[in-house]
Amino acid sequence: MFEEDRAVVRYAILISPPAAVKKAVAGFKQQLHEAVGLDDMNLKSLAHISLCRVNAADDDAFVITTATRAVANMCCFDIEINGADSFTHGKTGTLYLRIERPEPVQILFVLLNRVFRASRNANITPHLTIARALPAGKFRQIDPAAFAYRYAFVCDRITILKWAGERYNLIHEVPLQNRPPA
């Protein structure tokens, strides 16, 4: 007897910021939409800091257990958002909010991508996207300085989402360890 192969699904592991940050990013998206026009993907995506994307067998328990083990020794840490910046990718560009002292986010990225064998790129710039893949003509009209924003929060968990055909659904939040005593 052979077990039937499970369908491959997409999981996203990320840091979900507090409601105040989500609201600010939604406002920036609306501001950009009024200025240069945004597609639905950019308008509707919720603010987050990406850590890992996984295409795997449809096995929530495996993904949750693997991610939990990968970050088992990570302590809560502060995330400070400080202003906006941009990436260019040839004919497109991305506007994002900058993260000060990104090292803990980079460590989470490395830990998760190593266990899921999802990305070999360990040299990332953690950020919070406002709009991505903007055509060069629109992108040149944007001044990142117009999106100055400061906010600090404690990252005390990572979030695991599963693609459900039209959107991602929350399947689990993995708590990080309490801060070590000072």
Side-chain angles (χ1 to χ4, degrees), residues 74-178:
M74 280 293 296
C75 291
C76 299
F77 59 92
D78 296 323
I79 293 181
E80 183 181 340
I81 299 167
N82 185 8
D85 208 341
S86 63
F87 298 125
T88 55
H89 322 284
K91 296 181 180 184
T92 65
T94 295
L95 177 67
Y96 67 89
L97 294 175
R98 204 174 26 242
I99 296 173
E100 296 288 322
R101 294 176 301 286
E103 294 80 9
V105 178
Q106 291 168 324
I107 291 168
L108 282 173
F109 176 88
V110 169
L111 291 171
L112 290 163
N113 282 277
R114 184 180 301 148
V115 298
F116 287 110
R117 297 182 179 99
S119 174
R120 294 174 191 220
N121 184 8
N123 193 15
I124 62 154
T125 301
H127 63 280
L128 211 153
T129 301
I130 297 171
R132 68 183 180 121
L134 295 172
K138 290 181 179 184
F139 188 69
R140 282 192 292 274
Q141 298 175 48
I142 300 168
D143 177 11
F147 299 89
Y149 180 70
R150 289 185 68 97
Y151 195 90
F153 65 97
V154 175
C155 177
D156 61 356
R157 72 196 67 209
I158 61 169
T159 301
I160 303 173
L161 305 176
K162 180 179 179 180
W163 184 248
E166 298 203 12
R167 66 185 183 123
Y168 281 99
N169 290 327
L170 173 70
I171 61 166
H172 192 70
E173 291 184 314
V174 179
L176 300 180
Q177 297 297 316
N178 290 330

Side-chain angles (χ1 to χ4, degrees), residues 56-67:
D58 190 354
D59 186 346
D60 297 353
F62 169 77
V63 173
I64 291 166
T65 300
T66 303

